[in-house]
Amino acid sequence: MDIAYIPSPSTGVIHLGPIPLRGYAFCIIIGVFVAVWLGNKRWIARGGKPGTVADIAVWAVPFGLVGGRLYHVITDYQLYFGEGRNWVDAFKIWEGGLGIWGAIALGAVGAWIGCRLRGIPLPAWADALAPGIALAQACGRWGNWFNQELYGRATDLPWAVEISAGPNRDAGTYHPTFLYESLWCVGVALLVIWADRRFKLGHGRAFALYVAAYCVGRGWIEYMRVDEAHHILGVRLNVWTSIVVFVLAVVYFVLSAKLRPGREEVVEPDASGGEGKDEPEAKSKDKAETKAETKAEDETDGTADAGPRDSLPTRAPRADATVREGAVKADLRKPAVDAEAPEADKA
């Protein structure tokens, strides 16, 4: 009886002349653009400058790709260094094989370098980017569909994925664990966005919530997978990794909330008015304005002081003229007195 299923691509690469266009690479690239786009919007909303997220992503993405590949090669070394294997294949990242744990760990190192160069706190940047990273993972998981990898147990459910025969795999229909993880990551992104708006998460707690929520889903999805993996006490290695990372994320979330409650008021100091690159210009402008105001005040004070001094010469001649006029009148009266004196003597 025919059953419904999700068909897999017959090939994961399309050749455009001599240039191979690989579905896995396209999914990774789309995921990076989505993460940077959403992270930039959230960064600006928190008071940051446009473009800062992309500038730091230039550091974080290459480090993350290297870290993801290293984790995969180290934990699945038998695929590249076992008998009959070619170690050069370890560098063929386009064929699939990126461990999210290594990508986040080494990507954080690259982000730290970028944040140090820009003078901004890494936890604030990680909070802004957290839901974008989850959406990037949701996009990237479809690269596993192109490569026909990361599927679960055999099933006849209508949403089963069809897998063709190939190296280390048998033809059949299986649980599409790549699809489960993709949908789970979308849910994690929505959870982080809601919680961040509701509780104003800061100081790395939004990122910690993303990590913890992802680990919960990765644990049960990993348990369904049937591809080759290392086991510890009968449990797949990535399940143990999910448990350990989940505990660390929860511990950080709780301790951070107690030690540093609330959210950062300033995430990028030179993004607010008058600071940063515009600060010297603002200070120069204020200094020029202050100098002009001081000069105007000095001129006003000079005019006020000069007024009385200028008026004195005008009033002074009038006083001198009055004095001289009185003296003349006195002189005119004096001869008359002197003329009467001889007459008095003659008498």
Side-chain angles (χ1 to χ4, degrees), residues 52-60 63 106-122 125 268:
T52 297
V53 169
D55 291 342
I56 298 175
V58 170
W59 288 90
F63 274 74
L106 204 56
V109 174
W112 177 80
I113 295 174
C115 288
R116 290 277 295 180
L117 294 175
R118 294 297 295 263
I120 65 176
L122 175 61
W125 185 84
E268 192 169 4

Side-chain angles (χ1 to χ4, degrees), residues 127-215:
D127 283 342
L129 204 66
I133 295 176
L135 291 179
Q137 290 178 253
C139 296
R141 277 308 179 203
W142 283 92
N144 304 128
W145 176 62
F146 282 100
N147 289 347
Q148 297 194 42
E149 57 189 5
L150 300 189
Y151 50 86
R153 304 185 187 95
T155 182
D156 58 357
L157 291 171
W159 58 82
V161 62
E162 180 191 28
I163 300 296
S164 60
N168 301 320
R169 67 173 186 250
D170 299 324
T173 55
Y174 301 86
H175 277 284
T177 52
F178 74 89
L179 175 61
Y180 298 160
E181 186 169 336
S182 179
L183 295 175
W184 182 269
C185 287
V186 172
V188 170
L190 296 176
L191 171 65
V192 173
I193 292 174
W194 170 82
D196 193 29
R197 291 178 178 176
R198 175 67 176 80
F199 302 105
K200 304 296 182 183
L201 302 177
H203 302 287
R205 287 189 290 278
F207 185 82
L209 176 62
Y210 145 71
V211 172
Y214 171 75
C215 288

